[in-house]
Amino acid sequence: MQRVIVYSGTKSQFRSDVMTNDIGGIIASTFKSVTGHGTKQSEINSWVNSLQYMDRVIADPAIPADAGVAIEYHIPRSSKRIDFILTGADAQHTDTAILVELKQWQQADLTTKDGVVITTFQGGPQETAHPSYQAWTYKRLLEDYNQTVQEEKINLYPCAYLHNYAPDNTINNPFYAQYTKEAPVFLKPDALKLQDFIKRNIRHGDRNKLLYRIDHGKIKPSKNLADSLAGMLRGNQEFVMVDDQKIVYETALAQARQAATGQKHVLIVEGGPGTGKSVVAINLLVALTNQDMVAQYVTRNSAPRLVYAAKLAGTLKRSRIDNMFRSSETFHKARPNEYDCLIVDEAHRLKEKSGMFGNLGENQVKELINAAKLAVFFIDEDQKVTLKDIGDKEEIRRWAKKHAAIVTELKLESQFRCNGSDGYLAWLDNALQVGKTANDILDTKDYDFRIIDDPATLHALIREKNTNNKARVVAGYCWKWISKKDSSLKDIVIGDYQATWNLNDDGQTWIIQPDSVSEVGCIHTCQGLELDYVGVIVGPDLIARDGEMITSPEARAGSDKSVHGWKALYKADPVATKKRLDLLIKNTYRTLMTRGQKGCYVYFTDGETAEYFKTLIHPGLAPAPAAGLAETLKKIFNIEPRVPDALKWKDYLPVYSLEAACGGFGRGMAVEPQGWAKCPPGLKPDRNMFVARVCGRSMEPKLHHGDYCVFRANVAGTRQNKIVLVQHSSIADPDTGASYTVKKYTSRKKYAEDGTWQHEEILLKPLNPDYKPIVIPSADDEEFMVVAEVVGSAKNKI
C-alpha cells in the first residue's frame, strides 16, 4: 500500500526534530521521497513556522511523550492532506486522533455564503472555505475512505489553528457556528485553549499504534455517484464537498437567488476528470429543487442521464426523473428565462444544431443561456471528442454577452479519481502530448497504471477486478460494429483475441449491466461516468513514432460518427482540421484512461507506442538509500580486476569511467576497463554493454550519486525519453563540469515538405527539479554524440 504520511513519530521525536532547527528539511526530504517531487521553499517555510507553534502547544508534560505525531497525511482516494495529526487515547482508553488544520492567515472577511470566507492569497483577495469547514470535511473524508477509522470506532476531533490571527468578528462569527462547533477554531491568543483541547481528548500515548493502523489501514471502496444518487435526492449528504467544490456550490446557490430578481447569470466551472463536477452538479440540483426553484440537470451525452434514471427506477416516478434530467437537444423551443437554473454537465459536448437530423435550433449554448435565469456550465475542454462538439469557454462567454448576463468563472482542482493522483493526470496530458507538464515520469505507486502486452490478458485482468460490477474494457472506435446486425460476429479481432462492442440492447446503460464486462465499450457509453478499474485498448488511430504522438483519423471505423465529415473539412482547411482532429483523438484516449478511480490498464495495438509509454513509467519501488550506496552496489556487482576471457560479455561486463566510455565507445579510442562486473539478472550481455558509475544528483530519485549502472552503446531506435550518456563540447555537467553527462533525452524536430526532418533542438533533462535542463541548439553537427543508454542497475531494470 502507498504510504500516505510525510512525517510520523512520537511527540518527543517531533519536539527533538524541531529543536534541531531541521524539521523543515526533514519533512521536505521525506515529502520528496514519498511523492516523487519536491515542493516550493515557501511551503517549507510555512511548515517550519506553523510547526514551531504546534511544538509550543504540545510542550505541556500532560500531553504524553509517546503520543503520535503525523504531518501532511494524504487522505486516501483524494488529493487532500491533513496538516497535523496527534494520536493517542482518551481517558476511557479509546483510540483518538486530533486533526489540526494550520493556517498562517492574519485577516479574513465575512461572506453571505455558507462556510465561505474571503482572505488574501498571493493573487489577492479570494473566497475560500472557512478553516473549520475544511477541518470538518477532512474528518468526513477520513471516515469515508479509511476502513480502520470507521470499523474500529476511532474518535476523530478536528480543529483549526490560526496562530497569526488576532480575534475579530469574522472567523468566530455566529454565521459559521455550525462548523466551529464541529471543528473549534483557535486564534493567536488561544494556544493554551488548544493545549487544553488536546489534553482533554488525549490522556494516554499511542501505545496501540493508532498512527500506524491509520496509515496502513484498509481503504474503503470508493463511492460512485450513480449508486449514491437516490440517497442524494432524498437529502442525504452522500458526498462532502471540499474546498473548491464548496465555493462553486455556494456561488451557484447565491447566483440563483440573485438571478431570481431579474439579472441573468452564467457560471462557468472548469474542471478536469475526477474533480467532482458531476457531484457538485447533482448536489446543486437537489438544493435548488428543495428551495422550490425550477432546476434541471442537462447533458448532451445520454449515457449519464440514462444510467442515473436506471439507478433511480423504483424510487421516483418516471415523470419526475424525466423532469430533473434532460437532454440539451430539448431547449430550442424554450421561452426566455423559463427555468430558474439549468445545470449543464459535460458542457464541452454541446453542439450547434439539435434533433436527429441536425436541423433544429441554432446553437445549444445560446438556447440554454436563453432558457435559464442562471445557467451553470461544468466544462473540460480537453474532453471534446467529436467534430460536432462546440462547448468551450469562449463560446459560452460570447452568448452570455449577447444575453447581457453576468459571467463568473471558477475552477475545480481537488482530485477524487485516479486514486486522488494529480500526478497521474498531469503525466497523462504530458504523455499524450495534450499539454506540457512537469510530470515526465509516472510513479505507479501512486496509481495502478499498467501497460499490458496482449488484449486477452488485459480483459482477463478486468474480469478479475470486476468484483462489484465496476470494471470494464473500453477502446478507441477503430473497429466496425458488425455485430450490431449479426450477433454471431466479433467486432474487435486482434490476433487470437476476439470481442464485441457493447450490446445494442443495453444502449447507453451498458456500463452498469451485470454481464457487460465481457464486451468492449466506447467513449459514448462511458464519458461522464466512472469505474473502479478501466481497461483501455488503444487502436491504430494513436501511435508514437520517435517520441512524437501521431493521430490518424483514417484508422477510425467508417461507422464512427465522431469524426464524420473530416475529409471534407480537411480539404477546405487542412492545417486547422489536422490540429482539431489531433486533439479529438488524444482527448478520446485521455477521457477513456481517466475513467478508473483505482486503476487503468492499457493495451496498445502498436508495439512502438507501447515501448514509448514504457519509457514514461517507473514502477513504484522504494528508492535505495543514498548513504553507502556506492559500496553496496559495488559489492552487489562483484567487480573483479580480472576474469577469464570466456566469461567476458557472457557473465561479466567491463567497468569504465564515464570519461573512458566516451572515449572508447564515442571516439573509438583504445581504453582499458577498470575491472569486470557481474551482469545483473534479467540482462543479456553483449559487446555493446558496459558498467559505469554515475556522478552527481541531477538524476535523483532514479539514479543516485555513486550508482553503478549498465549502459548499452550504439543506441538503436528512438532515443526519446531514454536516459542516455551524451557528449558535446557545449555541455558543462552541473555536478562535474565535464563535457559529458547522463540525462533524459528529448528532442524537437522540424519537418520539410518532402518528409525529411532535422533536429530543431535537443533537451537533456534532469529528473531532480533542483537542476536545469541542458539545451543543445543543433544536434546535427559532428560534435554531438549519444554514447550509450542506461539499461539497468544492480537494483532493477531502468
Side-chain angles (χ1 to χ4, degrees):
M1 179 180 294
Q2 176 190 355
R3 178 178 172 161
V4 291
I5 294 179
V6 169
Y7 174 97
S8 62
T10 63
K11 167 192 156 177
S12 60
Q13 289 170 337
F14 167 73
R15 298 209 67 216
S16 175
D17 288 336
V18 173
M19 185 63 68
T20 62
N21 295 316
D22 195 32
I23 186 66
I26 293 169
I27 295 174
S29 175
T30 312
F31 183 91
K32 186 173 181 179
S33 68
V34 169
T35 65
H37 57 82
T39 188
K40 297 177 182 177
Q41 186 62 43
S42 59
E43 187 168 4
I44 296 173
N45 295 340
S46 175
W47 283 333
V48 172
N49 188 23
S50 291
L51 294 177
Q52 288 174 343
Y53 283 93
M54 284 305 303
D55 174 59
R56 290 196 285 273
V57 167
I58 66 174
D60 192 312
I63 299 172
D66 57 347
V69 170
I71 297 168
E72 291 288 313
Y73 170 82
H74 178 197
I75 301 172
R77 303 269 187 261
S78 81
S79 58
K80 296 301 175 185
R81 293 182 175 273
I82 300 174
D83 292 333
F84 192 96
I85 302 178
L86 200 68
T87 56
D90 64 10
Q92 288 73 44
H93 294 277
T94 303
D95 288 333
T96 299
I98 294 176
L99 319 177
V100 186
E101 175 67 17
L102 295 167
K103 298 290 186 191
Q104 304 211 35
W105 298 3
Q106 294 183 344
Q107 62 83 219
D109 295 314
L110 284 165
T111 72
T112 58
K113 298 175 183 176
D114 179 70
V116 176
V117 296
I118 297 173
T119 193
T120 302
F121 296 98
Q122 286 186 343
Q126 183 178 320
E127 288 187 335
T128 189
H130 188 286
S132 291
Y133 179 86
Q134 277 188 284
W136 170 72
T137 57
Y138 293 171
K139 171 197 172 185
R140 284 288 309 274
L141 288 175
L142 196 54
E143 290 171 335
D144 282 347
Y145 293 124
N146 192 298
Q147 202 162 320
T148 300
V149 169
Q150 188 177 78
E151 291 181 353
E152 299 185 20
K153 309 298 182 186
I154 294 166
N155 291 330
L156 298 181
Y157 295 103
C159 66
Y161 186 24
L162 284 62
H163 47 75
N164 295 332
Y165 197 109
D168 59 12
N169 193 36
T170 298
I171 289 297
N172 272 319
N173 192 282
F175 181 66
Y176 303 114
Q178 175 186 352
Y179 303 114
T180 55
K181 182 180 178 181
E182 294 284 349
V185 60
F186 301 96
L187 306 179
K188 187 175 182 179
D190 296 336
L192 291 176
K193 291 181 181 179
L194 174 57
Q195 196 174 73
D196 289 339
F197 177 78
I198 294 171
K199 289 192 291 184
R200 280 198 310 274
N201 294 300
I202 293 187
R203 299 288 185 86
H204 307 283
D206 191 0
R207 295 162 195 168
N208 295 328
K209 296 185 177 179
L210 174 59
L211 201 54
Y212 178 89
R213 281 158 43 218
I214 291 175
D215 192 15
H216 293 77
K218 288 183 179 179
I219 306 303
K220 284 181 63 181
S222 48
K223 286 187 177 182
N224 183 285
L225 176 59
D227 293 338
S228 305
L229 198 59
M232 294 170 73
L233 292 176
R234 287 193 297 267
N236 298 340
Q237 193 173 36
E238 299 285 346
F239 295 90
V240 59
M241 287 179 290
V242 302
D243 302 349
D244 44 12
Q245 297 172 349
K246 178 70 169 175
I247 300 302
V248 168
Y249 174 78
E250 293 297 336
T251 298
L253 289 179
Q255 290 190 355
R257 292 189 290 269
Q258 293 164 10
T261 65
Q263 173 61 61
K264 187 183 285 286
H265 281 261
V266 168
L267 175 59
I268 302 172
V269 183
E270 185 179 11
T275 52
K277 297 187 296 296
S278 298
V279 167
V280 177
I282 297 296
N283 271 305
L284 191 56
L285 175 68
V286 173
L288 292 171
T289 302
N290 289 339
Q291 293 177 21
D292 294 324
M293 291 190 179
V294 180
Q296 292 189 338
Y297 174 93
V298 180
T299 63
R300 174 194 164 193
N301 187 14
S302 60
R305 287 181 282 107
L306 293 176
V307 166
Y308 296 163
K311 290 288 185 179
L312 290 171
T315 63
L316 295 175
K317 290 183 178 179
R318 182 73 198 194
S319 59
R320 188 183 174 198
I321 295 172
D322 290 343
N323 282 334
M324 297 180 78
F325 300 94
R326 297 282 296 278
S327 166
S328 60
E329 305 261 339
T330 61
F331 293 91
H332 54 89
K333 291 184 179 180
R335 300 185 306 274
N337 298 327
E338 182 175 341
Y339 301 90
D340 292 310
C341 182
L342 292 177
I343 304 158
V344 188
D345 205 0
E346 306 284 320
H348 39 273
R349 295 298 318 279
L350 296 174
K351 60 181 182 178
E352 287 187 341
K353 301 285 187 177
S354 298
M356 183 180 294
F357 302 105
N359 61 342
L360 300 177
E362 178 186 352
N363 181 293
Q364 290 185 355
V365 175
K366 171 197 173 183
E367 291 152 10
L368 289 161
I369 293 174
N370 174 69
K373 297 172 185 176
L374 166 65
V376 183
F377 294 93
F378 290 91
I379 191 166
D380 177 4
E381 293 179 2
D382 289 330
Q383 287 196 55
K384 285 185 178 181
V385 295
T386 82
L387 286 171
K388 291 183 178 180
D389 295 350
I390 64 164
D392 57 46
K393 290 181 290 185
E394 188 53 44
E395 183 74 3
I396 297 169
R397 293 186 198 112
R398 183 168 73 89
W399 287 110
K401 184 177 180 181
K402 289 188 176 184
H403 284 80
I406 296 174
V407 178
T408 304
E409 298 188 33
L410 297 173
K411 288 191 75 171
L412 289 171
E413 295 179 312
S414 301
Q415 179 51 235
F416 286 87
R417 199 179 291 161
C418 305
N419 210 25
S421 175
D422 294 313
Y424 171 70
L425 295 170
W427 170 83
L428 187 59
D429 283 350
N430 201 68
L432 293 174
Q433 296 169 11
V434 171
K436 183 63 181 169
T437 72
N439 297 66
D440 293 339
I441 302 294
L442 175 68
D443 193 334
T444 53
K445 74 172 183 289
D446 294 329
Y447 180 63
D448 188 6
F449 179 85
R450 307 183 204 175
I451 296 172
I452 310 300
D453 288 334
D454 73 272
T457 301
L458 179 137
H459 215 135
L461 278 170
I462 291 300
R463 286 192 183 93
E464 183 182 311
K465 293 292 185 181
N466 192 43
T467 54
N468 57 355
N469 200 36
K470 290 184 175 61
R472 292 292 183 275
V473 176
V474 295
Y477 210 147
C478 297
W479 294 268
K480 291 182 179 179
W481 193 5
I482 56 176
S483 67
K484 187 175 184 179
K485 294 182 178 179
D486 184 350
S487 60
S488 67
L489 299 175
K490 298 295 182 182
D491 303 305
I492 302 170
V493 179
I494 306 169
D496 295 331
Y497 173 76
Q498 298 183 348
T500 59
W501 286 117
N502 43 269
L503 289 176
N504 199 36
D505 293 343
D506 294 336
Q508 297 296 301
T509 62
W510 166 82
I511 203 167
I512 59 171
Q513 299 303 319
D515 298 325
S516 63
V517 69
S518 63
E519 303 152 8
V520 178
C522 67
I523 187 68
H524 308 299
T525 50
C526 71
Q527 189 171 26
L529 299 166
E530 59 191 10
L531 299 158
D532 282 349
Y533 290 91
V534 65
V536 181
I537 298 174
V538 177
D541 57 338
L542 181 72
I543 61 173
R545 289 294 179 266
D546 204 18
E548 300 289 331
M549 298 306 301
I550 300 170
T551 55
S552 304
E554 60 270 19
R556 289 285 185 95
S559 54
D560 179 19
K561 294 183 179 179
S562 62
V563 293
H564 181 70
W566 73 269
K567 291 181 180 178
L569 291 172
Y570 188 85
K571 188 175 181 180
D573 189 345
V575 174
T577 303
K578 186 178 186 302
K579 183 178 180 181
R580 196 171 163 197
L581 288 165
D582 186 67
L583 276 175
L584 291 181
I585 293 172
K586 289 176 179 177
N587 287 350
T588 298
Y589 286 110
R590 178 183 185 265
T591 303
L592 295 178
M593 293 166 74
T594 53
R595 296 306 91 194
Q597 290 184 307
K598 298 178 182 178
C600 173
Y601 307 151
V602 184
Y603 167 75
F604 295 93
T605 57
D606 179 72
E608 186 171 334
T609 309
E611 291 305 312
Y612 164 72
F613 268 80
K614 287 176 183 178
T615 68
L616 303 179
I617 63 174
H618 180 234
L621 300 172
L629 186 63
E631 286 302 312
T632 302
L633 291 181
K634 190 170 182 178
K635 291 176 183 177
I636 293 172
F637 266 110
N638 191 23
I639 295 175
E640 303 288 348
R642 289 176 297 276
V643 295
D645 289 346
L647 298 181
K648 293 177 181 178
W649 293 289
K650 290 185 179 180
D651 294 325
Y652 286 84
L653 297 173
V655 180
Y656 299 105
S657 67
L658 291 179
E659 183 178 15
C662 289
F665 289 91
R667 306 301 175 199
M669 298 165 57
V671 293
E672 288 296 319
Q674 297 173 334
W676 293 84
K678 189 83 171 175
C679 184
L683 293 175
K684 185 178 180 181
D686 63 53
R687 286 186 174 269
N688 285 321
M689 294 168 68
F690 62 94
V691 173
R693 186 178 174 188
V694 298
C695 300
R697 306 191 182 281
S698 66
M699 296 304 288
E700 291 180 350
K702 181 169 279 192
L703 302 179
H704 292 80
H705 177 63
D707 277 16
Y708 282 89
C709 294
V710 180
F711 291 79
R712 179 183 284 116
N714 301 317
V715 182
T718 179
R719 302 161 179 174
Q720 197 77 353
N721 292 311
K722 291 181 177 179
I723 296 178
V724 295
L725 168 63
V726 298
Q727 188 171 34
H728 192 270
S729 61
S730 68
I731 292 175
D733 185 272
D735 287 304
T736 66
S739 61
Y740 51 84
T741 189
V742 175
K743 293 288 181 290
K744 181 181 173 182
Y745 178 105
T746 61
S747 69
R748 193 169 65 215
K749 298 187 176 95
K750 182 167 62 178
Y751 289 85
E753 291 183 359
D754 62 0
T756 60
W757 58 267
Q758 62 182 17
H759 283 111
E760 200 168 50
E761 181 185 81
I762 284 184
L763 211 60
L764 303 176
K765 293 184 177 180
L767 300 184
N768 187 335
D770 295 333
Y771 290 74
K772 294 181 178 179
I774 297 172
V775 180
I776 308 294
S778 174
D780 295 320
D781 60 63
E782 295 182 354
E783 290 189 8
F784 179 81
M785 181 170 291
V786 176
V787 179
E789 65 177 304
V790 178
V791 294
S793 73
K795 287 288 184 184
N796 60 287
K797 286 188 178 181
I798 301 292

